[in-house]
Amino acid sequence: MVERRVTQKGLIFEYFAARPKQDIPTSEVVDWATAEYLRITGNPLRDPDRMIRTLFSEGKLIKVRTGLYKYDPDAVTDNSEENFTASQKAEILKNGDYRCAMCGATEDEGALLHADHIVPRSKGGMADVDNGQVLCSQHNNLKKNYGQTETCKRMYKILYDKAVELNDTAMREFIEDVMRVYDDHNINSHIDWRPQLPT
């Protein structure tokens, strides 16, 4: 039997790629990849969970939630040549005070922090420290789905609804001013942020 050359990360990605658009638990991939890598190479697979996280950070997998990932060929692009280096990531995290730029969450509070491209790679964003920001997993995923300005507007919408509910006039007026700037510049106008009046 001819032994094929395989990398640990490549084998794990192979499992996802063979099941596009399926939500796959980490444990399922780890069990398969561990047995398959041992069968092919005779060697143990080392830290498969980290390999999955690496594939996610490279933009090859989508994190559905903790322990659940998927590969979507329509949404994922391989721009590995434009990934931040380890030293760039460290500098971006330091520059961002190790806090999510959107919610302020830290690793001490249980957040998984990422070095994110402000201008996405898919839109020509370069892997420069100046194009980096710190985002937690939740807001990194939101930004991947919606984009930076839309994610922020959706967050303001949540705050606005809460301010209306609490009758917090100062916060409501502040957010109305922010939202008018969005509207004046026709940014994300598809998001209706004003409260629905009772009929």
Side-chain angles (χ1 to χ4, degrees), residues 5-25:
R5 292 177 60 87
V6 63
T7 65
Q8 297 183 36
K9 188 168 71 169
L11 186 67
I12 289 171
F13 182 68
E14 179 183 306
Y15 190 86
F16 283 100
R19 298 158 181 80
K21 301 184 180 182
Q22 293 182 31
D23 296 351
I24 303 175

Side-chain angles (χ1 to χ4, degrees), residues 25-43:
T26 300
S27 58
E28 178 183 322
V29 183
V30 169
D31 289 348
W32 176 85
T34 299
E36 188 69 2
Y37 191 77
L38 183 62
R39 184 186 69 78
I40 294 169
T41 69
N43 297 315

Side-chain angles (χ1 to χ4, degrees), residues 34-102:
T34 299
E36 188 69 2
Y37 191 77
L38 183 62
R39 184 186 69 78
I40 294 169
T41 69
N43 297 315
L45 184 66
R46 300 190 181 280
D47 204 356
D49 292 292
R50 183 174 62 82
M51 298 290 179
I52 293 171
R53 292 193 301 271
T54 299
L55 287 166
F56 166 67
S57 70
E58 290 176 351
K60 294 176 183 173
L61 296 179
I62 295 169
K63 185 174 184 178
V64 179
R65 64 174 184 269
T66 300
L68 196 66
Y69 294 82
K70 72 178 174 181
Y71 168 68
D72 184 345
D74 298 327
V76 177
T77 56
D78 182 5
N79 293 308
S80 55
E81 71 280 2
E82 290 301 338
N83 282 342
F84 295 119
T85 65
S87 62
Q88 285 176 317
K89 288 178 183 177
E91 188 174 351
I92 290 164
L93 290 169
K94 182 179 178 183
N95 291 346
D97 196 29
Y98 305 95
R99 292 180 175 278
C100 175
M102 292 193 180

